[in-house]
Amino acid sequence: MITVNTDGKIMVRRCLVTFKPFRIFVVGVGFFSLCFLMTSLGGQFSAKRLGDSPFTIRTEVLGGLESRGVLRKISDMLEVILKRIDALAKLGNASDSRRLEELSSAINRFQPAGLVERIQAIAQNVSNMAVRVEQILQHSMAAGRVIRDGSAGQCEVPKDPQYPDCASKVDWMRARWTSDPCYAFYGVDGSDCSFLIYLSEVEWFCPPLVWRNHTKPPTQKTFSKRQAAFRADVGSLLEQVGTGKESLSFMKRRIRRLASQWGTAARRLDRKLLGRWREQKKVLVHVGFLTEESGDVFSPKVLKGGPLGEMVQWADILTALYVLGHNLKISFSVKELQGFLGVPPGRGSCPLTGPLPFDLIYTDYHGLQQMKQHMGLSLKKHKCHIRVIDTFGTEPAYNHEEYATLHGYRTNWGYWNLNSRQYMTMFPHTPDNSFMGFVSEELNETEKLSIQRNKVDNMAVVYGKEAGMWKLQGKERFLQILHRYMEIHGTVYYETQRPPEVPAFVKNHGLLPQQELQQLLRKAKLFIGFGFPYEGPAPLEAIANGCVFLQPKFRPPHSSLNHEFFRGKPTSREVSSQHPYAEQYIGRPHVVTVDFNNSQEFDSAVREIMRTQVEPYLPYEYTCEGMLERVHAYIQHQDFCVPETPAFPAANSSRPWPGGPAGPFVILPNSTGLGWAPNASAPPCWPPLSALQLLVSEEGQSCVEACRRGGLVCEPAFFPFINNKEALSRLEVQCEGLEAELNHVFPAFSAPQRECGLQKEPLLFSCAGASAKYRRLCPCRDFRKGQVALCRDCL
């Protein structure tokens, strides 16, 4: 038996009483008791909000007395625990001493490396929490004193005619303020005072409260504008794109492969701009369709022949913005988006209080919807900074929410009330939108000569990597005709066996990497489409590698009215072939469009192609330099945040035109159109008004068609300058009445009825609109050779 002397008892007793880690451990026990107590008391610190964690400590303490009562109970509990420890320390008999020695030994064993430090950290957190709670209590009591003193009144809802929605918004807050944590983030605690503070200082539905301190916070430090410098090394961009998805790997491979061409294009554009100063913009790129929140159906299909057109375009947009020298942030998830924008926590019901940290935001329809969910009312305030990458285009009639709803143009997309030029398309579908595009690899003269020498005249490659693209009814008939003259190759994805949709006489290579596909195209004479997919990048790549593109003509044209694929898309555009751009802007001999249902016409087209010798061809606007020109011009000149200042007489005004001449229009030499008078005053405009040519359409004809007929392009930025009675008068149009209406074909007139109409809503100015009743006033302009998006003086 081990004996313990009196000195030993005293030593153990002192050890237990003075052993700091042990006391800290006890404080830790008290901390968890605190959490348990908070739970049992129904969440005093969480303002009793449904769905909050019982361990969530909020800054909205309901009242000083109740909260101090909670702290008193916690203090009492800790005091009881410490008294029990002191009682143990006073044990004096041998058996108790033995227990104390065993306890001391256990404590010594219960000290692994770092335990004491961790317990001390817990204690420090508890101490910090106590200080924070005391601060909250002091703030709460101070606020209570303000209200009791009468300085703040009774927080009655003000009745101010300048804020008619204040009362209804307060009622909404009373019922729904717990629906989003962002309200609590801004200090809402369920009282009418907190509602009024929020609605007057965070939102704008109530007037400022007289008893609040309205001193403006210190303005953020303004940073001097920086010059954008062209970049050639894409290493930093590749790091920003990141990893983890096959879609991102595909984009990085494309960026890396075309890096040298982007560098060469940047040097050319720099020389063209003569070193002109360019402001570096802060740009956020949020690729919504690749986020997990949108489903990301594209990434799993990258290695299975799925559509890659969108990823091609996004990779090129990222590269263009980076090479131009702008400050770029890239987001592929909603969490990254929230972090970059600095949105308050919650579900997006509250607006941003600070300035938008970006000059421009490039996203897509998926990303736009995600921004709406998480930016709340701030989206309306900041939407002028947004550019929407829109594959098929959005026409103004579908973009204006009220008009679209009333006139049957409402779809699953569109209705965002943006300026229609904020939508940026893959091809120049309609001039209402801005043409963003993508790039194809550009060949040098040596490569072009090599391709022409090595072409196999009887070799054809089919456009279609997914087996489903081969399910077109009647394809066997025209493939049999093609097989008479040519050896047919396919690049259809398959896993274990040949896809049953692919005929036996087709030599299928399976899904090929980009470089191997390019080598196949450089040998082939013909690249043939089945009619789907629509308007992808592959035909341009084939034409750039010396192939002739043979595609089907659609009779009648496909549109949202008669074809399932286009149903629900925000456009009435009629698609006349699989690739309208290739048909209209490139044409023969590089592009042959025929009716595949007409066997004789198809047979004749194949034989014509075999006799034709073509060189590799790539439109300038799809080169790296061409895309850099467009993106640079848009960034420098398109500003949709500047409020429009009407500078022209109203439709029913009798006052004369401002400025020198009686009217702003002059007759152009050798033309039926009108031009802008050089001495006519006008607000700033891009493109410059010197490019304007005013033409008149036929009944049932859009301005797109009317301008194209004159070898020009419709320019929606010019609509405000021709939407006036002076334009109608100069065209000698007889009008019995002239009123402004919401109508996407106005300004226009009906000669037989002598009816004239001007546009009331600027968002409805439309190049694409047409009416069998009206002839339209069409603002047209010239364009640079090979660059339809820019006028001759636009760069």
Side-chain angles (χ1 to χ4, degrees):
M1 179 173 248
I2 301 174
T3 60
V4 181
N5 57 26
T6 304
D7 293 336
K9 296 178 185 178
I10 295 172
M11 184 186 305
V12 172
R13 199 175 293 124
R14 286 177 177 175
C15 178
L16 284 173
V17 174
T18 62
F19 186 52
K20 290 183 179 180
F22 182 74
R23 283 205 163 194
I24 294 171
F25 176 77
V26 172
V27 175
V29 173
F31 170 71
F32 289 107
S33 301
L34 163 65
C35 296
F36 176 79
L37 182 59
M38 290 171 63
T39 306
S40 63
L41 291 175
Q44 297 277 356
F45 288 86
S46 61
K48 298 182 181 180
R49 292 189 49 183
L50 296 178
D52 286 344
S53 167
F55 302 102
T56 300
I57 298 178
R58 294 186 174 271
T59 58
E60 316 92 23
V61 180
L62 289 179
L65 294 177
E66 294 86 350
S67 302
R68 290 187 179 278
V70 174
L71 292 176
R72 190 176 296 110
K73 291 178 182 179
I74 296 170
S75 177
D76 293 343
M77 178 181 291
L78 294 176
E79 186 66 27
V80 170
I81 294 172
L82 292 175
K83 286 180 179 179
R84 290 181 180 177
I85 294 171
D86 291 335
L88 285 174
K90 295 175 182 178
L91 294 175
N93 55 44
S95 61
D96 289 338
S97 298
R98 188 182 304 112
R99 293 174 187 170
L100 288 172
E101 281 191 351
E102 293 172 355
L103 179 58
S104 178
S105 176
I107 290 172
N108 289 332
R109 292 194 305 269
F110 191 63
Q111 293 189 56
L115 175 63
V116 172
E117 288 79 6
R118 286 196 290 270
I119 295 175
Q120 288 175 338
I122 294 173
Q124 184 62 44
N125 287 338
V126 173
S127 175
N128 294 341
M129 183 187 70
V131 173
R132 178 61 179 153
V133 170
E134 184 65 24
Q135 292 174 348
I136 295 170
L137 289 174
Q138 292 174 359
H139 176 75
S140 178
M141 293 180 66
R145 283 195 300 270
V146 170
I147 295 176
R148 284 193 298 271
D149 292 342
S151 301
Q154 300 300 316
C155 289
E156 295 181 355
V157 179
K159 296 180 180 179
D160 190 329
Q162 295 183 355
Y163 299 88
D165 297 325
C166 183
S168 62
K169 287 294 181 180
V170 171
D171 290 339
W172 188 95
M173 292 289 288
R174 287 169 180 158
R176 300 291 304 279
W177 76 273
T178 59
S179 63
D180 195 321
C182 71
Y183 296 115
F185 174 82
Y186 283 122
V188 176
D189 60 12
S191 66
D192 282 1
C193 289
S194 68
F195 296 154
L196 291 172
I197 292 171
Y198 173 83
L199 291 172
S200 62
E201 298 179 11
V202 179
E203 296 187 14
W204 50 88
F205 294 105
C206 293
L209 303 174
V210 294
W211 52 272
R212 292 283 291 176
N213 183 3
H214 295 295
T215 58
K216 294 183 178 180
T219 57
Q220 291 190 346
K221 184 178 179 181
T222 57
F223 296 95
S224 59
K225 295 180 179 181
R226 299 182 59 183
Q227 183 172 1
F230 287 102
R231 300 187 181 105
D233 183 5
V234 298
S236 177
L237 174 61
L238 295 172
E239 291 179 4
Q240 285 195 67
V241 173
T243 58
K245 292 182 178 181
E246 188 55 41
S247 55
L248 303 184
S249 299
F250 171 84
M251 293 168 67
K252 290 174 72 171
R253 288 193 296 269
R254 179 175 177 82
I255 293 171
R256 195 178 292 112
R257 190 177 72 252
L258 297 176
S260 62
Q261 296 202 13
W262 283 109
T264 301
R267 289 189 292 271
R268 290 175 181 169
L269 181 58
D270 193 21
R271 289 193 297 268
K272 192 179 296 185
L273 295 176
L274 302 176
R276 192 183 310 161
W277 193 89
R278 298 179 301 114
E279 180 185 348
Q280 185 186 60
K281 302 289 187 178
K282 290 174 288 186
V283 181
L284 171 63
V285 178
H286 176 62
V287 190
F289 82 103
L290 290 181
T291 61
E292 296 296 337
E293 291 81 1
S294 69
D296 189 14
V297 299
F298 287 85
S299 293
K301 295 182 178 181
V302 171
L303 298 177
K304 297 183 179 180
L308 302 177
E310 287 85 353
M311 278 173 270
V312 165
Q313 187 181 31
W314 276 109
D316 296 345
I317 290 171
L318 288 170
T319 313
L321 293 169
Y322 179 83
V323 169
L324 285 170
H326 297 292
N327 186 354
L328 197 60
K329 299 292 183 184
I330 307 172
S331 165
F332 292 102
S333 71
V334 171
K335 185 177 180 180
E336 290 176 319
L337 174 68
Q338 290 176 300
F340 286 138
L341 292 176
V343 298
R347 303 181 182 90
S349 303
C350 304
L352 303 177
T353 54
L356 188 72
F358 297 99
D359 300 304
L360 290 169
I361 300 176
Y362 289 83
T363 188
D364 51 26
Y365 267 125
H366 294 283
L368 194 58
Q369 186 64 42
Q370 291 164 355
M371 291 173 66
K372 178 182 179 181
Q373 293 171 355
H374 295 279
M375 289 180 67
L377 296 171
S378 297
L379 181 65
K380 182 178 181 180
K381 178 181 179 182
H382 298 302
K383 67 181 182 179
C384 61
H385 299 276
I386 296 173
R387 306 294 183 266
V388 182
I389 306 303
D390 178 12
T391 304
F392 294 98
T394 299
E395 294 176 6
Y398 296 82
N399 169 64
H400 192 280
E401 184 175 17
E402 179 184 355
Y403 188 81
T405 303
L406 292 176
H407 295 83
Y409 294 103
R410 183 69 181 250
T411 66
N412 294 331
W413 311 100
Y415 64 81
W416 287 94
N417 294 321
L418 301 176
N419 186 304
S420 60
R421 285 172 287 157
Q422 290 178 253
Y423 299 100
M424 298 189 143
T425 57
M426 182 175 283
F427 292 96
H429 305 304
T430 169
D432 290 314
N433 305 146
S434 298
F435 165 43
M436 173 59 78
F438 59 94
V439 304
S440 288
E441 190 166 353
E442 193 173 3
L443 305 179
N444 58 41
E445 293 303 319
T446 302
E447 291 172 322
K448 291 179 181 179
L449 291 174
S450 175
I451 287 175
Q452 290 177 279
R453 285 196 300 264
N454 296 315
K455 278 293 178 184
V456 180
D457 289 339
N458 64 340
M459 180 178 174
V461 176
V462 176
Y463 180 19
K465 296 174 294 184
E466 282 188 294
M469 299 176 184
W470 292 67
K471 293 181 179 180
L472 180 70
Q473 289 185 352
K475 74 175 186 306
E476 294 84 1
R477 183 175 65 255
F478 63 77
L479 283 181
Q480 286 288 356
I481 297 174
L482 181 61
H483 182 51
R484 295 180 201 164
Y485 302 100
M486 291 188 170
E487 183 181 86
I488 305 176
H489 294 251
T491 58
V492 187
Y493 168 80
Y494 61 95
E495 291 182 352
T496 57
Q497 59 183 1
R498 184 186 185 88
E501 296 85 357
V502 179
F505 54 78
V506 175
K507 183 178 180 181
N508 188 26
H509 299 262
L511 196 62
L512 294 177
Q514 182 64 27
Q515 289 181 331
E516 294 183 30
L517 175 61
Q518 193 171 37
Q519 292 302 319
L520 188 66
L521 293 175
R522 290 185 176 187
K523 291 182 180 179
K525 181 66 176 286
L526 173 66
F527 189 64
I528 181 173
F530 285 166
F532 188 84
Y534 297 97
E535 302 176 303
L540 265 64
E541 294 175 352
I543 296 168
N545 282 285
C547 294
V548 175
F549 178 48
L550 177 62
Q551 65 168 344
K553 180 180 288 292
F554 298 148
R555 293 177 178 169
H558 294 177
S559 71
S560 58
L561 301 178
N562 62 10
H563 201 276
E564 187 62 33
F565 179 83
F566 290 101
R567 191 163 289 120
K569 290 183 170 56
T571 174
S572 298
R573 184 167 58 98
E574 294 185 336
V575 180
S576 58
S577 61
Q578 181 175 354
H579 208 290
Y581 175 87
E583 177 187 8
Q584 297 168 7
Y585 287 87
I586 301 178
R588 291 176 183 265
H590 302 280
V591 180
V592 179
T593 306
V594 299
D595 183 0
F596 279 23
N597 293 317
N598 187 325
S599 299
Q600 185 175 356
E601 185 179 356
F602 183 85
D603 184 284
S604 176
V606 173
R607 286 187 281 111
E608 175 191 346
I609 291 169
M610 294 187 69
R611 294 191 303 266
T612 304
Q613 298 298 320
V614 296
E615 297 180 2
Y617 173 72
L618 179 63
Y620 175 75
E621 54 200 356
Y622 284 97
T623 64
C624 293
E625 186 178 353
M627 185 169 183
L628 285 180
E629 277 187 4
R630 287 194 304 280
V631 178
H632 158 74
Y634 291 150
I635 289 177
Q636 297 301 317
H637 299 292
Q638 284 187 341
D639 188 354
F640 304 111
C641 296
V642 177
E644 294 187 4
T645 54
F648 309 109
N652 54 1
S653 173
S654 59
R655 64 186 178 90
W657 185 267
F665 301 104
V666 294
I667 299 176
L668 294 172
N670 303 320
S671 173
T672 59
L674 302 178
W676 190 262
N679 57 343
S681 62
C685 176
W686 186 85
L689 282 170
S690 58
L692 169 63
Q693 297 187 41
L694 173 56
L695 301 181
V696 177
S697 76
E698 301 295 334
E699 288 89 348
Q701 190 179 49
S702 71
C703 285
V704 176
E705 298 166 323
C707 294
R708 184 183 297 154
R709 180 189 59 189
L712 303 169
V713 175
C714 180
E715 177 50 64
F718 290 158
F719 268 115
F721 300 93
I722 68 167
N723 187 46
N724 49 65
K725 62 181 182 181
E726 279 76 11
L728 292 166
S729 175
R730 199 71 174 86
L731 291 168
E732 300 182 353
V733 176
Q734 302 297 319
C735 302
E736 291 187 355
L738 181 63
E739 296 294 334
E741 300 179 20
L742 270 70
N743 191 320
H744 73 288
V745 300
F746 284 1
F749 64 92
S750 173
Q753 283 80 25
R754 294 192 173 187
E755 294 180 9
C756 301
L758 300 181
Q759 182 58 254
K760 186 177 181 180
E761 171 54 71
L763 292 182
L764 286 175
F765 285 130
S766 172
C767 290
S771 169
K773 177 180 178 181
Y774 290 105
R775 298 183 67 184
R776 302 197 55 200
L777 273 61
C778 297
C780 308
R781 63 162 170 83
D782 56 28
F783 56 91
R784 298 168 66 88
K785 183 179 180 181
Q787 184 73 289
V788 69
L790 302 179
C791 70
R792 291 171 188 164
D793 298 325
C794 279
L795 192 58

